[in-house]
């Protein structure tokens, strides 16, 4: 599987959620309540219910200032332990696009 490209931050600028922010629960919810703010007028791609800004993301350096304590919703992005999923909404710049790209089979060509 791919690894994040250095200083990317495409998944944090903004954060796209497939569920409403107010319905979030589980181990990531306390972090989200403290650090995430809904961006009300931001366009939502199909399948996205909430678009949020994280105050732990430094847009100048493109780094997470809470990286060491980031919640599972951030540390598991984008596959969360599951196989790569072509249907998941990823930024076109996301390194994890490589996990779902179409790879053509190699063809051996012999000289004649």
């Amino acid at each position: 599987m791919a690894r994040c490209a250095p200083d990317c931050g495409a998944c944090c600028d903004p954060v796209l959620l497939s569920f409403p922010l107010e319905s979030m629960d589980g181990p990531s919810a306390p972090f989200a309540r403290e650090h995430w703010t809904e961006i009300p007028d931001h366009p939502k791609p199909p399948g996205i219910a909430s678009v949020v800004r994280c105050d732990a993301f430094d847009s100048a350096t493109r780094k997470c200032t809470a990286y060491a304590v980031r919640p599972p919703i951030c540390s598991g992005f984008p596959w969360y332990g599951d196989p790569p999923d072509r249907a998941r909404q990823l930024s076109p710049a996301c390194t994890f696009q490589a996990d779902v790209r179409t790879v053509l089979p190699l063809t051996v060509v012999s000289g004649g």
Side-chain angles (χ1 to χ4, degrees), residues 2 6 8 13 19-20 30 32-33 39-40 42 52 54 64 67 71 86 91 95 97 103-105:
C8 174
D13 189 25
F19 52 86
R33 280 193 283 280
I39 307 172
H42 196 286
V52 301
C54 180
C64 175
Y67 190 83
R86 187 174 302 280
S91 162
T95 308
Q97 291 281 1
V103 179
L104 299 175

Side-chain angles (χ1 to χ4, degrees), residues 31-47:
F31 182 92
R33 280 193 283 280
E34 182 177 344
H35 296 283
W36 292 358
T37 306
E38 184 99 30
I39 307 172
D41 297 330
H42 196 286
K44 293 179 179 80

Side-chain angles (χ1 to χ4, degrees), residues 1-6 8 67 94-96 98-99:
M1 283 213 221
R3 292 180 56 173
C4 289
C8 174
Y67 190 83
C94 182
T95 308
F96 286 94
D99 291 341

Side-chain angles (χ1 to χ4, degrees), residues 1-4 11-12 15 24 27-28 31 36 54 64 66-82 96:
M1 283 213 221
R3 292 180 56 173
C4 289
C11 57
C12 300
V15 178
M24 186 172 191
S28 297
F31 182 92
W36 292 358
C54 180
C64 175
Y67 190 83
V69 295
R70 71 198 189 285
I73 196 167
C74 300
S75 63
F77 183 85
W79 312 129
Y80 307 103
D82 292 334
F96 286 94

